[in-house]
Amino acid sequence: MIPYSTQDIREADIQAVVTTLRSGWLTQGPAVEQFEKALAKAAGTKYAVAVNSGTAALHAAYFAAGVKKGDEVLAPALTFAATGNAALYLGAKPVFADVDSTTGNMSVADARKKITKKTRAIVPVDYAGRPAGLAAFKTLARKHKLVFISDAAQSLGATYRGKPAGSFADMSIYSFHPVKSITTGEGGAVVTDNPEYARLVKLFRSHGITKDAAHLKNKKEGGWYMEQQALGYNYRMPDINAALGTSQLRRLKSFIAKRAAAARRYDRLLKNIPGLILPPQDSAANRSAWHLYPVRVDAAKRRAVFDYLRSRGIGVQVHHIPVHTHPHYQTLGYKKGSCPKVERFYSTAISIPLFPNITLRQQQQVARELKKSLAL
Ligand SMILES: *Cc1c(COP(=O)(O)O)cnc(C)c1O
């Protein structure tokens, strides 16, 4: 089976983890700070705070943004469920916007229509690794006094107007699940230029407890003293995982270059096939991290194409099931039909295999089988 995505682990990664296992620090040690420093540099931000998943990063970012019961968080419906779930964790209501049918990224026009007095944060997702319209969302967020959070789980390594895509929002979140740009096994991070947001994310990832003398509410009672100031979680990233992250980050540029080269190869192998729509190409102002290569087929054929490819050992997948259509969201009162472009995009999408070490032969095999499946 050629998977839709997979990690690249080298001897250097293994050595970095082994060194950490021997170092005496399995968690709360120096490897986490080291990773955070390297990540902030890659993201083009002042601060990076590592946590143990992308989902935890969303939860922490929403907390830092002040999202609470009764608030609304505006996000596209074409995303992984976690973008919405993290709002539910805080008692807030995710409001789902439609997307642009070409890129799969949140529609600025539809997002604007769905802003209310209760909207606290706006959270575009860089679908498939391609940066959303970050400049337009920033303007919209400023105008309506919203916190602008970028769900960049899929786009570490992407650039927008020549800069790292993660440097445009008030906070951006990353995921380090094995299918994403780099991996720590499980892991995530919030990056920001705002010291208060960074402080709140740190507080949240460690139970809401702080020892920081500058921020204590009460007088320090002794060397042991610490305070729980909010209801946080244990969202800490272990040093073992952070060491893997630092080692992986050294190859981030090469991972993205290889993904982009593979995407260009698909562009060539799959051009001019009737009934097949390819993802948009990169432009100088918008360079995708190429997390996915989602092609679009006739909705009536999608199931047959998918089943045929799977039966031929091609590990295709569909990204994403529109969040508002999941049974859990249906029980909360969300309605099918409320984001028609997302639902249409979903009904036609298939992600074909794309990862840094995919070979030309594998891509040729995918192209050959995909052509056959469309002729069925
Ligand atoms: C992967 C992903 C997440 C969740 O990240 P985890 O590390 O799996 O918790 C959130 N949002 C999007 C858009 C993702 O692709």
Side-chain angles (χ1 to χ4, degrees), residues 1-5 302-319 350-353 365-366 369-370 373 376:
M1 177 80 93
I2 307 174
Y4 89 82
S5 185
R302 198 267 301 270
R303 174 78 190 266
V305 170
F306 182 93
D307 289 347
Y308 175 84
L309 290 170
R310 279 277 180 100
S311 78
R312 304 294 296 167
I314 316 273
V316 283
Q317 189 47 283
V318 170
H319 298 93
I350 297 184
S351 305
I352 61 175
Q365 186 188 339
V366 171
E369 298 293 355
L370 181 56
S373 74
L376 286 178

Side-chain angles (χ1 to χ4, degrees), residues 53-55 58 79-80 82-83 125 151 153-154 175-177 180 186-187:
S53 72
T55 304
L58 282 164
T79 183
F80 182 60
T83 316
V125 173
D151 182 340
Q154 304 183 356
S175 162
F176 310 123
H177 181 277
K180 306 290 168 73
E186 297 279 0

Side-chain angles (χ1 to χ4, degrees), residues 75-80 83 96-100 103-106 125-127 154 319-324 339 341-343 345-346 349:
L78 189 73
T79 183
F80 182 60
T83 316
F96 296 110
D98 225 331
V99 297
D100 174 286
T103 60
N105 278 333
M106 184 153 76
V125 173
D126 297 340
Y127 175 75
Q154 304 183 356
H319 298 93
H320 299 277
I321 295 166
V323 184
H324 64 291
C339 292
K341 286 183 183 165
V342 170
E343 290 164 48
F345 193 103
Y346 160 70

Side-chain angles (χ1 to χ4, degrees), residues 116-272:
T116 72
K117 284 200 170 69
K118 294 177 179 170
T119 313
R120 177 88 205 164
I122 186 164
V123 192
V125 173
D126 297 340
Y127 175 75
R130 170 172 291 101
L134 300 174
F137 285 116
K138 191 170 195 164
T139 306
L140 196 62
R142 293 291 172 269
K143 182 167 171 215
H144 295 273
K145 299 195 162 45
L146 311 176
V147 183
F148 174 23
I149 299 168
S150 168
D151 182 340
Q154 304 183 356
S155 63
L156 177 62
T159 62
Y160 181 80
R161 298 189 175 175
K163 290 200 289 188
S167 65
F168 281 83
D170 295 320
M171 287 177 266
S172 298
I173 75 94
Y174 294 121
S175 162
F176 310 123
H177 181 277
V179 297
K180 306 290 168 73
S181 298
I182 64 161
T183 191
T184 60
E186 297 279 0
V190 179
V191 299
T192 182
D193 282 334
N194 181 316
E196 185 60 9
Y197 288 150
R199 184 182 78 81
L200 289 169
V201 170
K202 275 189 183 162
L203 190 73
F204 195 70
R205 79 168 167 190
S206 209
H207 311 280
I209 292 177
T210 185
K211 292 183 207 170
D212 182 351
H215 291 282
L216 293 180
K217 308 252 185 238
N218 300 320
K219 205 166 143 300
K220 193 169 169 170
E221 294 168 9
W224 65 86
Y225 191 69
M226 55 179 91
E227 284 179 353
Q228 186 186 342
Q229 300 179 336
L231 184 61
Y233 291 75
N234 182 347
Y235 277 163
R236 293 187 300 259
M237 176 183 283
D239 279 49
I240 302 162
N241 304 66
L244 176 56
T246 304
S247 177
Q248 287 263 305
L249 259 184
R250 296 196 180 103
R251 304 201 301 286
L252 173 64
K253 282 217 164 86
S254 115
F255 288 159
I256 303 304
K258 286 163 119 184
R259 284 177 173 276
R264 287 195 300 270
R265 255 186 261 144
Y266 273 141
D267 291 345
R268 281 199 304 277
L269 290 166
L270 298 172
K271 70 173 179 228
N272 302 329

